[in-house]
mmCIF file of all heavy atoms in Angstrom:
data_model
loop_
_atom_site.group_PDB
_atom_site.id
_atom_site.type_symbol
_atom_site.label_atom_id
_atom_site.label_comp_id
_atom_site.label_asym_id
_atom_site.label_seq_id
_atom_site.Cartn_x
_atom_site.Cartn_y
_atom_site.Cartn_z
ATOM 1 N N PHE B 125 -6.775 -2.748 9.918
ATOM 2 C CA PHE B 125 -5.328 -2.685 9.783
ATOM 3 C C PHE B 125 -4.916 -1.255 9.486
ATOM 4 O O PHE B 125 -5.605 -0.547 8.755
ATOM 5 C CB PHE B 125 -4.901 -3.603 8.637
ATOM 6 C CG PHE B 125 -3.454 -4.000 8.664
ATOM 7 C CD1 PHE B 125 -3.064 -5.196 9.237
ATOM 8 C CD2 PHE B 125 -2.487 -3.182 8.104
ATOM 9 C CE1 PHE B 125 -1.736 -5.575 9.270
ATOM 10 C CE2 PHE B 125 -1.147 -3.558 8.141
ATOM 11 C CZ PHE B 125 -0.778 -4.760 8.708
ATOM 12 N N PHE B 126 -3.788 -0.829 10.069
ATOM 13 C CA PHE B 126 -3.228 0.459 9.683
ATOM 14 C C PHE B 126 -1.741 0.287 9.434
ATOM 15 O O PHE B 126 -1.088 -0.614 9.971
ATOM 16 C CB PHE B 126 -3.488 1.532 10.744
ATOM 17 C CG PHE B 126 -2.556 1.446 11.929
ATOM 18 C CD1 PHE B 126 -1.317 2.076 11.901
ATOM 19 C CD2 PHE B 126 -2.902 0.734 13.059
ATOM 20 C CE1 PHE B 126 -0.446 1.992 12.988
ATOM 21 C CE2 PHE B 126 -2.046 0.658 14.138
ATOM 22 C CZ PHE B 126 -0.821 1.276 14.110
ATOM 23 N N ALA B 127 -1.181 1.154 8.659
ATOM 24 C CA ALA B 127 0.264 1.132 8.431
ATOM 25 C C ALA B 127 0.736 2.541 8.142
ATOM 26 O O ALA B 127 0.081 3.301 7.439
ATOM 27 C CB ALA B 127 0.615 0.219 7.259
ATOM 28 N N PHE B 128 1.863 2.909 8.744
ATOM 29 C CA PHE B 128 2.571 4.164 8.466
ATOM 30 C C PHE B 128 3.940 3.767 7.961
ATOM 31 O O PHE B 128 4.619 2.988 8.616
ATOM 32 C CB PHE B 128 2.752 4.989 9.743
ATOM 33 C CG PHE B 128 1.479 5.426 10.383
ATOM 34 C CD1 PHE B 128 0.874 4.638 11.350
ATOM 35 C CD2 PHE B 128 0.879 6.623 10.039
ATOM 36 C CE1 PHE B 128 -0.306 5.031 11.947
ATOM 37 C CE2 PHE B 128 -0.300 7.021 10.637
ATOM 38 C CZ PHE B 128 -0.893 6.223 11.598
ATOM 39 N N GLY B 129 4.353 4.316 6.831
ATOM 40 C CA GLY B 129 5.621 3.872 6.287
ATOM 41 C C GLY B 129 6.485 4.986 5.757
ATOM 42 O O GLY B 129 6.016 6.060 5.364
ATOM 43 N N SER B 130 7.779 4.697 5.789
ATOM 44 C CA SER B 130 8.797 5.557 5.183
ATOM 45 C C SER B 130 9.540 4.696 4.186
ATOM 46 O O SER B 130 10.018 3.631 4.552
ATOM 47 C CB SER B 130 9.795 6.001 6.249
ATOM 48 O OG SER B 130 9.604 7.309 6.592
ATOM 49 N N SER B 131 9.611 5.151 2.956
ATOM 50 C CA SER B 131 10.160 4.288 1.917
ATOM 51 C C SER B 131 11.116 5.043 1.015
ATOM 52 O O SER B 131 11.172 6.277 1.028
ATOM 53 C CB SER B 131 9.029 3.734 1.044
ATOM 54 O OG SER B 131 8.114 3.020 1.827
ATOM 55 N N LEU B 132 11.836 4.265 0.241
ATOM 56 C CA LEU B 132 12.748 4.850 -0.725
ATOM 57 C C LEU B 132 12.678 4.043 -2.009
ATOM 58 O O LEU B 132 12.733 2.805 -1.975
ATOM 59 C CB LEU B 132 14.184 4.824 -0.191
ATOM 60 C CG LEU B 132 15.263 5.281 -1.185
ATOM 61 C CD1 LEU B 132 15.153 6.774 -1.439
ATOM 62 C CD2 LEU B 132 16.660 4.934 -0.661
ATOM 63 N N TRP B 133 12.520 4.726 -3.132
ATOM 64 C CA TRP B 133 12.719 4.091 -4.420
ATOM 65 C C TRP B 133 14.084 4.572 -4.895
ATOM 66 O O TRP B 133 14.245 5.732 -5.265
ATOM 67 C CB TRP B 133 11.610 4.480 -5.402
ATOM 68 C CG TRP B 133 11.726 3.778 -6.728
ATOM 69 C CD1 TRP B 133 11.977 2.444 -6.930
ATOM 70 C CD2 TRP B 133 11.581 4.353 -8.013
ATOM 71 N NE1 TRP B 133 11.999 2.156 -8.263
ATOM 72 C CE2 TRP B 133 11.751 3.301 -8.966
ATOM 73 C CE3 TRP B 133 11.312 5.635 -8.493
ATOM 74 C CZ2 TRP B 133 11.668 3.521 -10.347
ATOM 75 C CZ3 TRP B 133 11.227 5.853 -9.853
ATOM 76 C CH2 TRP B 133 11.405 4.797 -10.766
ATOM 77 N N ALA B 134 15.065 3.715 -4.833
ATOM 78 C CA ALA B 134 16.452 4.094 -5.128
ATOM 79 C C ALA B 134 16.661 4.141 -6.624
ATOM 80 O O ALA B 134 17.386 3.330 -7.206
ATOM 81 C CB ALA B 134 17.427 3.113 -4.462
ATOM 82 N N ASN B 135 16.001 5.106 -7.250
ATOM 83 C CA ASN B 135 16.088 5.275 -8.696
ATOM 84 C C ASN B 135 16.054 6.767 -8.981
ATOM 85 O O ASN B 135 15.236 7.494 -8.422
ATOM 86 C CB ASN B 135 14.904 4.560 -9.363
ATOM 87 C CG ASN B 135 15.061 4.444 -10.865
ATOM 88 O OD1 ASN B 135 15.311 5.435 -11.544
ATOM 89 N ND2 ASN B 135 14.901 3.243 -11.392
ATOM 90 N N THR B 136 16.945 7.234 -9.854
ATOM 91 C CA THR B 136 17.037 8.673 -10.101
ATOM 92 C C THR B 136 16.172 9.135 -11.273
ATOM 93 O O THR B 136 16.185 10.319 -11.626
ATOM 94 C CB THR B 136 18.498 9.078 -10.356
ATOM 95 O OG1 THR B 136 19.008 8.290 -11.436
ATOM 96 C CG2 THR B 136 19.361 8.851 -9.123
ATOM 97 N N ALA B 137 15.410 8.234 -11.868
ATOM 98 C CA ALA B 137 14.538 8.643 -12.976
ATOM 99 C C ALA B 137 13.385 9.490 -12.460
ATOM 100 O O ALA B 137 12.849 9.243 -11.370
ATOM 101 C CB ALA B 137 13.998 7.410 -13.687
#
Side-chain angles (χ1 to χ4, degrees):
Chain B
F125 199 96
F126 79 86
F128 298 91
S130 254
S131 302
L132 174 70
W133 184 45
N135 192 308
T136 56

